[in-house]
Amino acid sequence: MAKSRKAALGFIFVTLLVDVTGLGIIIPVIPKLLEGLIHGGISDASRYSGWLGFAYAITQFVFAPVIGNLSDQYGRRPVLLFSLLGFGIDYLFLALAPTIGWLFVGRIFAGMFGASFTTAAAYIADISTAENRAQNFGMIGAAFGLGFIIGPVLGGLLGHYGPRVPFLAAAALSVLNALYGFFVLPESLPAENRRAFDWKRANPLGSLIQLKKYPAVAGLIVTLVLVYVAAHAVQSTWTFFNIYKFNWSERLMGYSLGFVGLMVAIVQGGLIRLVIPRLGNERSVYTGLLLYSAGFALYGIATQSWMMFAFTVVYCLGGIAGPALQGIISSAVPANEQGELQGALTSLMSATSIVGPPFMTNLFSFFTSAEAPVTLPGAPFLAAALMMLLGSWLAYKSLHPGRKTGGGPA
């Protein structure tokens, strides 16, 4: 049984790795593609990028719980393969899009099928035990890390042949990934652990309401919201910030994101398996959030290109917080509701992604515009640092509701 679980975890890791590589390929060329389509500068392009993220996120917010509940009824395998095929079609669509409007159509389409990570998380929950659940969730982060080593570097190189070439490569990878999964990915959800589809539990708001059944989950929702929103300081503004401040090329952008991916892979794929068992989930959450805060602050005040690489080490060490949080949350949920839980968490992430990209990119756009009282391209990073400090305090209050954090006894 242990050997079977290990093999299944390897299958899902490779599937995620190829999927993330396809996503990473397109990142270095997005600013140039947007500048060409809108005939504008980097500040204007960053705003459009934020609204493209908004279009993707609001669509995924609606569809993610539906996909999660379908996987609870029909199993993880068919839902995952369908999502991967949908991504391939989307990348091909984006490669051929003639106007900015068609890019928005493509992002909406991707949001409808962007549930591969939801289903993968449920898959991992299916094959995990209470002892290794947090560490196994770290495999998602490791896949992200390795995918962002390979993808952006490859995208930066392919970007020299045109901003649309990486999209074609991503489409090919997604289709190959679906074929790989079709032949080798086993089903993880036994028939006895499946449940009937319920529209009430599959709507996005209803899915989030279901989280209230579990006090530990409900108590950490605000912390998760802050983590997800803050993450968009990096996810949504990294390319625009470094082009504006350091005039990076697509190739250097790819190398930088590849380095971020390498650090994430080291932390998620190895370090958390040493740190979390020693510190415990709770202390890992606090430590990770404080490291995130320090990393964001350092990004915001960086004055030279090499600093972005050096400060990435601090930022990525904060990655121990995510798996620890997921470990606490998933331990409170029965086996036959893991798909619903992961769908709800993806809906939560999508809900914050409705706010995060436009908030962070508009913050960057404003503080790099002529109207700004002071030029501060690092404003999104500094805002994220404050969010992580607040998240650390809220996590403590959520896990210790009866304790006082200051003053004497009442």
Side-chain angles (χ1 to χ4, degrees):
M1 179 64 71
K3 187 177 293 185
S4 175
R5 286 178 174 175
K6 187 175 181 179
L9 192 63
F11 286 142
I12 205 69
F13 174 77
V14 173
T15 298
L16 283 172
L17 174 61
V18 177
D19 200 23
V20 176
T21 298
L23 177 63
I25 282 176
I26 70 174
I27 293 176
V29 297
I30 286 177
K32 180 177 287 187
L33 178 65
L34 289 176
E35 285 182 295
L37 289 174
I38 67 173
H39 306 291
I42 195 69
S43 292
D44 292 332
S46 70
R47 266 204 315 274
Y48 276 96
S49 176
W51 290 116
L52 283 167
F54 170 87
Y56 173 84
I58 198 168
T59 311
Q60 190 184 57
F61 176 71
V62 173
F63 281 89
V66 175
I67 298 298
N69 276 261
L70 284 173
S71 78
D72 278 341
Q73 179 175 3
Y74 297 107
R76 317 302 185 200
R77 185 177 184 275
V79 173
L80 182 58
L81 296 180
F82 184 74
S83 296
L84 294 176
L85 186 60
F87 267 130
I89 295 171
D90 169 60
Y91 287 134
L92 183 61
F93 188 91
L94 294 177
L96 303 175
T99 65
I100 189 69
W102 284 107
L103 281 185
F104 277 94
V105 173
R107 288 287 79 194
I108 291 170
F109 182 83
M112 294 172 62
F113 295 99
S116 58
F117 299 114
T118 304
T119 313
Y123 193 109
I124 290 173
D126 291 339
I127 63 175
S128 298
T129 64
E131 291 75 21
N132 65 15
R133 183 171 281 117
Q135 293 94 315
N136 285 347
F137 273 125
M139 296 302 291
I140 297 178
F144 264 93
L146 288 176
F148 275 105
I149 294 171
I150 302 168
V153 173
L154 183 58
L157 295 173
L158 292 175
H160 285 286
Y161 300 99
R164 296 177 186 269
V165 173
F167 288 90
L168 295 172
L173 276 176
S174 294
V175 173
L176 289 174
N177 196 11
L179 289 173
Y180 164 80
F182 179 80
F183 287 108
V184 304
L185 189 67
E187 180 55 64
S188 66
L189 186 64
E192 61 269 20
N193 284 340
R194 301 184 187 186
R195 63 174 178 82
F197 184 88
D198 183 354
W199 276 109
K200 182 179 180 181
R201 299 171 77 171
N203 76 76
L205 295 179
S207 180
L208 291 176
I209 290 172
Q210 291 296 320
L211 293 174
K212 292 185 177 180
K213 295 189 300 184
Y214 314 105
V217 175
L220 293 172
I221 284 179
V222 178
T223 300
L224 284 172
V225 167
L226 290 172
V227 170
Y228 291 153
V229 172
H232 283 284
V234 172
Q235 295 171 14
S236 299
T237 69
W238 179 270
T239 53
F240 300 98
F241 172 84
N242 286 302
I243 289 173
Y244 178 88
K245 191 155 188 179
F246 305 120
N247 196 30
W248 282 7
S249 65
E250 290 90 346
R251 180 173 293 179
L252 184 54
M253 195 70 68
Y255 291 156
S256 73
L257 290 168
F259 181 70
V260 172
L262 175 62
M263 290 306 305
V264 169
I266 291 172
V267 173
Q268 301 290 342
L271 190 61
I272 64 166
R273 294 179 179 272
L274 300 174
V275 173
I276 291 179
R278 294 195 179 196
L279 293 182
N281 283 337
E282 184 179 342
R283 289 175 65 189
S284 296
V285 168
Y286 304 143
T287 303
L289 292 175
L290 291 174
L291 285 168
Y292 269 149
S293 181
F296 281 129
L298 290 170
Y299 280 151
I301 62 174
T303 57
Q304 298 184 48
S305 286
W306 66 264
M307 293 181 179
M308 299 304 291
F309 288 85
F311 298 158
T312 291
V313 177
V314 179
Y315 170 74
C316 288
L317 286 173
I320 64 173
L325 273 171
Q326 282 193 295
I328 294 172
I329 293 169
S330 66
S331 295
V333 177
N336 67 345
E337 296 183 9
Q338 288 292 335
E340 178 185 39
L341 170 67
Q342 299 304 329
L345 292 180
T346 301
S347 289
L348 178 65
M349 185 183 299
S350 297
T352 59
S353 294
I354 294 171
V355 178
F359 173 70
M360 292 299 183
T361 56
N362 276 278
L363 195 61
F364 170 83
S365 181
F366 175 74
F367 279 101
T368 55
S369 69
E371 292 79 19
V374 60
T375 300
L376 188 63
F381 296 123
L382 298 177
L386 294 176
M387 290 180 187
M388 292 297 90
L389 290 177
L390 179 58
S392 301
W393 179 77
L394 288 173
Y396 181 84
K397 294 290 289 182
S398 297
L399 293 169
H400 301 280
R403 294 189 185 180
K404 297 184 180 296
T405 56

